[in-house]
Amino acid sequence: MADYDLTQRIAPNLDRHLVFPIMEFLQERQLHPDDQILKAKIELLSETNMVDYAMDIYKSLYHTEDVPQEMIDRRVEVVGRLKSLEESAAPLISFLQNPNMVQELRPDKQYNLQMLHDRYQQIGPEQIEALYQYAKFQFECGNYSGAADFLYQYRALCTNTDRSLSALWGKLAAEILMQNWDIALEELNRLREIIDSKNFKSPLNQLQNRIWLMHWSLFIFFNHDSGRNGIIDLFLYDRYLNAIQTNAPHLLRYLATALIINKKRRPQLKELIKVIQQEQSSYKDPITEFLHCLYVNYDFDGAQQKLRECEDVILNDPFLGKRVEEGNFSTVPLRDEFLENARLFIFEAYCRIHQCIDIGTLAVKLNMNYDEAERWIVNLVQNAKLDAKIDSKLGTVVMEPTHFNVYEQIIENTKALSLRTYKYVNLVLESASAQAAR
């Protein structure tokens, strides 16, 4: 299933450090030769300060205790640079580590700079810049906790908007790598607000920032409790959906998955299917093709085949295939939920055009044996998800006629009206603000 591995598309939109969890997953799933992944890790590490880690991987790859001289020299260089930065930032770090002194800081950054300059002559713009460089260096060394703390403190003092934005990206990466999902989500939302409101030098620059944000968000949305709604809200927002269609159609896999497993967001599935239809020539995989077969071509056999392939795609995707250990067993919760909901999609679509359905035929469509399909349908009826009767003797399901209530249809058709209105109002306000700024 390496054919559907999106690493080469996703990695260029991530910080180097964020690629490591993906590499670990691929190595564990053995999707690529082990030596190939180890070489890729060494190449990634060559642009970071994690020299000891690179040495360990080199020894493992080449089965030796000796490492190249350039790695040894690089390690000496990193240690020397770390000491130098630590000395430069020492006065400010000492101040920030004193709770009583930190209480003197205020939300007004200009006041803070003046106060530090007046009371602590050793602290000025040079020390603040040194704090940023020290925090960045710590991040490159793999000390994500220290880097996150220093970048947070730096942003409280920084008056340069571009540098502050860079620090926020670094803070977000550090929180993701430490798996602090609540804090990471807060930083993600903060970053989104800045990207959407900032006047970039060019629209292309803003587009690229949105694409980066969506790629980084995958780590959060598929680990955070509210992620399933979060990814739909972000990816279906007009400007972000345009960014996906412009330069990152592979992200449709994750949007499609989120909508399939999120029953409450079913009305928005129509919007996604239109996009999938438009992007068929630029990107498709079993998950997007499953929806295309079912809702565009009404090809139940094709949907059944794609559903089989979907399971392998999910198991081998670093964001979707997260495993949970339960005693001696290992499960992939998202796969189970996806298959359950996807079967329900097939069943509902099939029921729309058949009043009397043979359970045996349905079992084939759902990739289940006869007994499993019968139990599954019984559960649907009992849980009031299906208005039907089961004839066990004939082995059929008889659908009850559906009488649409005009009020229900009106409510259904106007569900997304308030959201659409909100989006258009925001677009008008943003456009007005941009014109006023000029």
Side-chain angles (χ1 to χ4, degrees), residues 117-292:
H117 181 267
D118 293 343
R119 298 189 190 181
Y120 310 94
Q121 283 73 25
Q122 291 180 306
I123 302 176
E126 291 181 2
Q127 283 68 39
I128 293 173
E129 173 62 20
L131 179 66
Y132 173 80
Q133 296 297 337
Y134 181 63
K136 189 171 183 291
F137 204 84
Q138 288 281 6
F139 180 86
E140 293 297 341
C141 289
N143 179 12
Y144 305 123
S145 177
D149 290 340
F150 290 133
L151 287 171
Y152 172 78
Q153 292 162 337
Y154 171 78
R155 293 191 71 246
L157 300 170
C158 175
T159 55
N160 183 315
T161 54
D162 289 337
R163 186 55 67 85
S164 181
L165 180 61
S166 176
L168 185 54
W169 278 107
K171 175 88 162 46
L172 174 60
E175 299 297 352
I176 290 172
L177 289 161
M178 291 189 292
Q179 299 184 10
N180 293 334
W181 304 124
D182 287 336
I183 300 174
L185 182 60
E186 291 175 10
E187 301 296 358
L188 180 78
N189 291 331
R190 190 172 290 117
L191 192 53
R192 179 188 174 183
E193 288 177 14
I194 294 173
I195 291 171
D196 288 345
S197 60
K198 187 177 185 296
N199 288 324
F200 285 85
K201 293 179 181 178
S202 72
L204 190 61
N205 196 344
Q206 188 174 39
L207 172 70
Q208 185 59 64
N209 273 265
R210 286 190 174 122
I211 290 171
W212 286 338
L213 187 75
M214 286 187 286
H215 282 86
W216 291 37
S217 74
L218 295 175
F219 291 96
I220 302 167
F221 289 142
F222 286 105
N223 284 285
H224 195 280
D225 292 339
S226 63
R228 295 179 183 186
N229 284 314
I231 189 171
I232 295 170
D233 292 337
L234 178 64
F235 284 25
L236 277 183
Y237 189 71
D238 291 349
R239 294 186 175 184
Y240 286 85
L241 188 58
N242 288 340
I244 289 174
Q245 292 183 265
T246 303
N247 215 19
H250 54 275
L251 292 178
L252 290 173
R253 170 187 294 183
Y254 303 104
L255 178 56
T257 301
L259 279 167
I260 288 172
I261 63 176
N262 198 330
K263 298 171 185 175
K264 294 180 180 178
R265 306 300 290 269
R266 188 72 63 85
Q268 290 166 291
L269 193 62
K270 291 179 182 177
E271 188 174 354
L272 171 64
I273 291 166
K274 288 179 185 176
V275 176
I276 288 175
Q277 207 171 351
Q278 293 166 2
E279 300 300 322
Q280 272 291 97
S281 60
S282 59
Y283 178 78
K284 58 185 176 182
D285 65 27
I287 294 177
T288 61
E289 286 186 290
F290 168 75
L291 292 174
H292 192 268

Side-chain angles (χ1 to χ4, degrees), residues 13-81:
N13 295 289
L14 300 176
D15 181 272
R16 282 177 172 267
H17 293 254
L18 292 176
V19 180
F20 286 114
I22 296 177
M23 301 296 286
E24 293 289 342
F25 179 89
L26 296 178
Q27 189 173 10
E28 180 186 330
R29 293 294 298 161
Q30 298 180 339
L31 290 182
H32 302 279
D34 204 47
D35 60 339
Q36 186 179 330
I37 291 181
L38 291 175
K39 287 177 181 177
K41 283 184 177 180
I42 291 175
E43 185 180 347
L44 277 173
L45 288 166
S46 66
E47 299 295 325
T48 73
N49 297 328
M50 299 167 70
V51 187
D52 288 340
Y53 185 28
M55 287 180 174
D56 290 339
I57 294 176
Y58 184 92
K59 291 174 184 177
S60 175
L61 175 61
Y62 295 105
H63 308 289
T64 179
E65 288 300 314
D66 299 322
V67 295
Q69 184 62 40
E70 62 186 41
M71 283 189 170
I72 298 172
D73 295 341
R74 172 70 175 149
R75 189 180 190 283
V76 173
E77 179 188 340
V78 167
V79 171
R81 177 67 175 154

